Amino acid sequence: MIYLDNAATSFPKPKSVLSAMYRASLYSANPGRGGHRLSARAGEIVYNTREKAAELFHADIERVIFTKNCTESLNTAIKGCLKQGDHVIISSLEHNSLLRPVQKLSERGIITYDVANVVPESDEQTVLNFQSLIKPNTKLIACCHVSNVFGTVLPIARIGEICRKNGILFAVDAAQSAGTFGYDVNGGNIDFLCMPGHKGLLGPMGTGLLILNRNVQLDSFIEGGTGSLSLETSQPEILPDKFESGTVNLPGIAGLYEGMKIIENVGCENILEKENRLTEYLTVNLKNIDGVTAYDNMHTASPSGVLSLNIGNLHSEQIGERLDSLQVACRAGYHCSALAHKSALTEEQGTVRVSPGFFNGIPDIKKLIYCINKIAKESKIW
């Protein structure tokens, strides 16, 4: 099976990641919740991983928060900073993990929000669209860095500048960009950087990070046991304890550490260059296949290694099933991103998303091209 669904989760997992998870499982001890050596060893793994993330994303170590996925990170950031009467701006390409928390707060009458239209061919217009929606009560701008459907790269540096000038908080969904794009949380304009561990960071499922700028405060989303200040009835305010109630995913965190080590050694820019090269090769060759629509018009000047396509009038899920029968794994459907499909007018068919990763090569893309050509010819017969 040729795997080209890395935007959903990276595969295969490196051997070092799997080995670290296995070793951590042998300790079977809660980090920070016991005076014995197994607990101390577990605590060391958690600390080392937190330190590695702080180095990779240029943040304070205590402001690296472990979550179970990017969705939890986004919910914690969004619901932890918004109050009654606040206004929020999101983009027209958002995943439901960002849209739905905002929508829920809106339905409850707590906040209002607007959607800024992303114009792929013009960063300038995209920035102006965000700026035009700012109101006196705008508290937060939240958007993805890279669209999970089309690979559109948003100009987050410029959006962040708008936020700073207007005293607005800025949350970035880095689900499709962590591990391929570099970040400087303390040195930039991002207040909340949210990401999964199982995609570009090459870690296991069930891991995520919420990284806070040193200048922001945030309310806790979940309260409970933290292993600290245990005689107090109120949630501790110290970080990271405030946001890590309950037992953390020790095997997952151990695996995430190894994944981030690979990213650090190889370099984000080298991984992105490889993924872009594969996507560009695919895009060029798809233009020679009759009946194929490649949504490269949604790409921006900064490529990202994600491409969506369709074949004739076939529903994307039909194409996905046929590719699976030909031993190629791609994501087909709506990708949990209603806003993105509305923007690209693909609500009826959805799209087939191709997302090569660190372990793919040109032979994989050639096989995909062969299969798409085959399906396109078959569709004319159907």
Side-chain angles (χ1 to χ4, degrees), residues 18-293:
L18 300 176
S19 296
M21 293 177 68
Y22 174 73
R23 290 194 302 272
S25 298
L26 298 178
Y27 299 124
S28 299
N30 279 28
R33 286 165 170 80
H36 51 81
R37 69 187 66 179
L38 292 179
S39 177
R41 177 63 182 130
E44 183 182 357
I45 291 171
V46 171
Y47 181 86
N48 289 343
T49 308
R50 204 186 305 277
E51 183 179 48
K52 182 61 66 180
E55 292 170 357
L56 198 58
F57 298 103
H58 303 280
D60 295 342
I61 187 169
E62 71 275 8
R63 289 180 168 262
V64 174
I65 313 301
F66 291 115
T67 62
K68 66 176 182 290
N69 47 47
C70 190
T71 299
E72 185 176 289
S73 299
L74 285 164
N75 272 265
T76 302
I78 291 167
K79 294 175 181 176
C81 76
L82 295 175
K83 307 294 183 187
Q84 184 73 44
D86 286 339
H87 174 252
V88 180
I89 304 170
I90 66 174
S91 90
S92 58
L93 296 178
E94 295 313 313
H95 189 277
N96 287 342
S97 58
L98 193 157
L99 169 63
R100 286 179 174 175
V102 172
Q103 175 66 22
K104 188 70 172 181
L105 292 174
S106 173
E107 290 171 356
R108 290 178 175 175
I110 297 172
I111 62 125
T112 57
Y113 76 94
D114 285 302
V115 179
N117 186 44
V118 175
V119 183
E121 63 271 20
S122 175
D123 283 352
E124 184 68 31
Q125 188 58 56
T126 295
V127 172
L128 288 173
N129 289 344
F130 274 94
Q131 194 164 14
S132 68
L133 295 174
I134 293 175
K135 300 178 179 180
N137 63 330
T138 301
K139 178 69 171 293
L140 174 72
I141 291 180
C143 67
C144 59
H145 188 175
V146 175
S147 165
N148 73 303
V149 182
F150 301 107
T152 314
V153 181
L154 275 66
I156 63 164
R158 296 182 62 186
I159 297 171
E161 289 174 4
I162 292 173
C163 290
R164 278 292 173 269
K165 289 177 182 176
N166 290 275
I168 298 169
L169 295 171
F170 188 32
V172 173
D173 174 1
Q176 301 301 329
S177 51
T180 48
F181 288 77
Y183 292 96
D184 183 353
V185 173
N186 281 337
N189 293 320
I190 298 173
D191 294 296
F192 314 112
L193 184 63
C194 307
M195 69 191 76
H198 67 100
K199 298 188 183 187
L201 296 183
L202 306 179
M205 295 178 182
T207 59
L209 294 170
L210 167 60
I211 303 180
L212 309 177
N213 187 291
R214 62 166 59 116
N215 298 314
V216 298
Q217 300 298 318
L218 190 67
D219 288 341
S220 56
F221 180 52
I222 296 172
E223 292 76 41
T226 60
S228 59
L229 302 177
S230 294
L231 292 179
E232 300 291 332
T233 56
S234 298
Q235 185 75 358
E237 288 295 318
I238 57 173
L239 300 179
D241 302 36
K242 181 179 180 179
F243 300 103
E244 291 182 1
S245 295
T247 302
V248 296
N249 178 4
L250 179 64
I253 290 170
L256 179 58
Y257 175 79
E258 294 297 330
M260 288 192 292
K261 273 177 60 178
I262 294 172
I263 302 301
E264 185 179 54
N265 292 335
V266 176
C268 291
E269 66 283 357
N270 294 320
I271 297 172
L272 180 61
E273 191 276 331
K274 180 181 181 181
E275 292 180 3
N276 286 339
R277 189 171 68 250
L278 297 176
T279 308
E280 183 180 1
Y281 183 88
L282 173 62
T283 304
V284 169
N285 282 275
L286 287 180
K287 295 184 186 302
N288 299 322
I289 304 177
D290 233 15
V292 173
T293 301

